[in-house]
Amino acid sequence: MNEEENKDSEINRGLEGVIAAETRVGYVKGDDGKLFYRGYEITTLADQSNYEEVSYLLLYGHLPKRNELEAYSKRLRNESDLPEELFSFIRSVGAKTHPMSALRTALSYLSSFDENESVNDPEDQERIGISLIAKMPTLVGAIHRTYSGKEIIRPDKNLGYASNFFYMATGARPDPVESKIMDTSLIVHADHGMNASTFSALVTVSTMADMYSAITSAIATLKGPLHGGANERALKMIKSMGKPENVEKELKRMTENGERVMGFGHRVYKVYDPRAKILKRYAEYFAERSGNENFKTAEMIEELMINKYGERGIFPNVDFYSGMIYEALGFKPEIFTPIFATGRISGWVARTIEYSRNNRLFRPKAEYVGERGPLKYIPIQDRE
Ligand code: CMC
C-alpha cells in the first residue's frame, strides 16, 4: 500500500485507543481508577512492598523469594557506582543545564564505558537494564547535588535503593517515614501502561537498537510538560497562586487563556488517578507537620477543577501532589521529573525486554495532505 493512501483507516491522533503490542507487565484500568503491576494492585504494592521488590516483579513477572530479592538487591548495590568521568561530566554541567537534560546526556554517556554497548540480545538487555536501574539514583542524586551547588555523594552500599537515593540527593540519611515515602514515590511511578516514554523506548528498541538508546529515548520523552515534566510545573503553579483564596481567579484566567492546569487530566484515567490518591496522603502528612499552606491551595485547585471538569473526566493525576512531597523531602523542583524517571526505569526496562522477545519494527503511517505533484523542478536562478 502506498504511503499516502489511508482510505480504510481513520487517523488516530496521538494513537488514542490503538493497541500496538501485547504485554504482561501491567495495565491501567482507567474507568475504575486502578493500576496493576503483573496483577498486583498499586495500592497493595505501595503499602506493603519496596522498590527493589517491585522492580524485580516488573522484570521477572513474580514476587521474589527471599533469596531472589537478596541477590537482586545486592546486584543493584554492587552496580550503583559510576565511572569517575560521569561525575566529572555532571560537575561540569553544574546548575547550567536542566537536570532532565543532564540526565538524558549522562545516561547516554554511560554507554561509552561498556565495550558491548550496541548489543541487543536478551542477556545483554537484562545486563544493561539492571545496570541502568542500579545507576539511576546515583546519576540523579549527583545531578541534584551539583545543581544545588553541593558536593556529590557516592552510594552507601548499606542502604536500600530508595534510602540510598534520598541520601545521595539530599546528604541526609532518611528516617523511617522519609524512607517509606521515598520508596512509595518510586513504586507508584515504576510502570504505567503504554505511556509516551515507554512507547518511545519500544520504538527505539524495535529497530534493534540497544538498551542505552531505548532508555535515553524514554528520558527525552518523559521530559515534556504533558508527561513527566508536569510535576515540576504543578508545584510551581500551586506556589505562584499563593493562598487558597487566589485560586478561583487564577484558574479563571488560565482557562480563558486556554492554558493547561498541570497535574490534571489523563489519556486513560477518567476518574481519580490512584497514584494521586496515594501521594495526596503523604502531601497532607507533610503539610500538617510543617504548617505549609501549599497543600490547602492545592486542595482548592482540586475542588474547583473537579467541580468544573470532573464530568469531562479531568481529575488530579500523579503529578499534582508529588512535587509537594519531594519539596518537603528536600528536593528542588527541577529534579522532580528525574525522580519520576528513577521510578519509571524499571517499567521501561521490563517492557523493552518483553517487546524485543516478540519484536516487530514500529512503522505507522501519516496521511499525506500536502501537494501531490509531480511538480516541475525550477532551477534556483529561475525561482521568483
Ligand atoms: N487543563 C485544562 N484542560 C485540560 C486538561 C488540563 N490539565 N487536560 C485536558 N484538558 C482538556 C483539553 O483542553 C481538551 O479540551 P477540548 O476538548 O475542549 O479541546 C480535552 O480536555 C482533552 O484534552 P486532550 O489533550 O485531547 O487529552 P489527552 O488525552 O491527549 O491529554 C494530557 C492528556 C495528560 C496530555 C492532558 O490531560 C494534559 O495536558 N494535562 C496536563 C499535563 C499533565 O498533568 N500531564 C501529566 C499526565 S500524568 C503523568 C504522566 O503519565 O506523565
Side-chain angles (χ1 to χ4, degrees):
M1 191 190 285
N2 298 327
E3 172 86 75
E4 76 274 15
E5 282 173 9
N6 259 299
K7 292 189 190 90
D8 299 334
S9 48
E10 282 178 22
I11 299 178
N12 269 299
R13 291 191 65 242
L15 298 182
E16 180 164 4
V18 172
I19 299 173
E22 284 184 327
T23 182
R24 293 174 189 280
V25 176
Y27 75 106
V28 184
K29 233 175 151 200
D31 295 339
D32 297 345
K34 289 186 191 284
L35 168 62
F36 295 85
Y37 298 168
R38 302 276 187 187
Y40 294 92
E41 204 169 345
I42 190 65
T43 42
T44 311
L45 293 170
D47 275 352
Q48 296 180 37
S49 190
N50 57 60
Y51 187 75
E52 288 97 321
E53 186 173 73
V54 166
S55 175
Y56 184 101
L57 172 70
L58 289 169
L59 257 64
Y60 299 108
H62 63 271
L63 283 174
K65 295 192 189 115
R66 194 181 295 277
N67 62 333
E68 290 171 324
L69 182 60
E70 275 168 13
Y72 186 62
S73 301
K74 190 168 166 207
R75 192 165 168 192
L76 291 180
R77 283 170 211 218
N78 286 344
E79 299 203 22
S80 60
D81 215 348
L82 303 176
E84 199 46 59
E85 289 90 335
L86 256 293
F87 289 120
S88 302
F89 163 72
I90 292 169
R91 276 190 205 98
S92 75
V93 164
K96 290 195 297 271
T97 305
H98 191 283
M100 267 309 266
S101 304
L103 178 62
R104 185 193 59 221
T105 307
L107 190 129
S108 181
Y109 187 20
L110 274 174
S111 69
S112 309
F113 304 90
D114 183 345
E115 285 175 3
N116 287 314
E117 53 101 17
S118 285
V119 286
N120 104 323
D121 56 88
E123 290 74 34
D124 280 298
Q125 284 189 329
E126 185 183 336
R127 171 183 66 77
I128 298 169
I130 292 176
S131 160
L132 295 181
I133 295 171
K135 290 176 173 53
M136 197 70 159
T138 318
L139 285 171
V140 176
I143 290 169
H144 188 237
R145 298 291 294 173
T146 53
Y147 192 74
S148 316
K150 299 196 173 127
E151 283 298 312
I152 287 173
I153 298 175
R154 305 288 273 256
D156 175 347
K157 293 190 177 156
N158 296 311
L159 293 174
Y161 192 92
S163 298
N164 209 358
F165 176 41
F166 180 91
Y167 166 63
M168 287 186 282
T170 68
R173 287 184 167 72
D175 65 30
V177 177
E178 290 166 334
S179 176
K180 172 71 190 160
I181 295 175
M182 200 69 245
D183 240 324
T184 306
S185 302
L186 296 180
I187 290 171
V188 301
H189 285 93
D191 186 60
H192 205 248
M194 190 66 98
N195 59 86
S197 55
T198 298
F199 183 54
S200 232
L202 298 191
V203 171
T204 301
V205 86
S206 83
T207 70
M208 292 182 73
D210 54 274
M211 186 63 88
Y212 292 103
S213 301
I215 303 302
T216 305
S217 296
I219 293 173
T221 307
L222 186 70
K223 185 171 186 248
L226 298 190
H227 193 9
N231 55 11
E232 171 187 340
R233 287 164 181 86
L235 184 69
K236 286 181 173 166
M237 175 191 75
I238 294 165
K239 288 178 141 187
S240 75
M241 289 194 190
K243 294 181 180 307
E245 45 271 34
N246 301 336
V247 169
E248 189 169 2
K249 192 169 151 218
E250 189 52 19
L251 279 184
K252 188 165 178 287
R253 186 199 61 75
M254 290 178 79
T255 315
E256 282 168 5
N257 283 349
E259 288 176 35
R260 300 241 160 166
V261 180
M262 291 290 131
F264 280 83
H266 200 274
R267 176 66 63 79
V268 186
Y269 294 121
K270 297 302 165 200
V271 294
Y272 213 107
D273 181 334
R275 304 165 300 171
K277 257 188 212 162
I278 294 167
L279 296 179
K280 184 177 177 184
R281 225 172 53 205
Y282 291 124
E284 188 167 19
Y285 163 82
F286 280 123
E288 277 168 9
R289 214 170 72 164
S290 67
N292 188 318
E293 215 175 33
N294 292 334
F295 183 77
K296 284 193 188 130
T297 305
E299 275 201 308
M300 179 59 81
I301 299 173
E302 175 181 329
E303 189 186 321
L304 297 181
M305 282 295 286
I306 292 178
N307 282 347
K308 191 160 180 179
Y309 296 112
E311 272 187 1
R312 290 173 59 189
I314 297 179
F315 288 87
N317 62 48
V318 68
D319 291 325
F320 191 58
Y321 287 105
S322 61
M324 261 177 277
I325 298 171
Y326 301 149
E327 187 178 61
L329 288 171
F331 292 96
K332 281 185 171 289
E334 293 75 17
I335 210 75
F336 296 172
T337 315
I339 300 175
F340 189 150
T342 306
R344 183 59 54 87
I345 189 165
S346 294
W348 290 333
V349 170
R351 285 175 185 262
T352 299
I353 293 174
E354 181 189 54
Y355 189 78
S356 297
R357 299 219 159 121
N358 189 17
N359 186 48
R360 185 146 196 245
L361 177 75
F362 278 107
R363 207 308 191 179
K365 296 198 302 183
E367 183 171 328
Y368 183 70
V369 295
E371 178 66 65
R372 286 203 170 249
L375 299 177
K376 185 169 178 288
Y377 182 83
I378 301 169
I380 195 161
Q381 65 276 14
D382 299 336
R383 288 176 211 160
E384 303 204 333

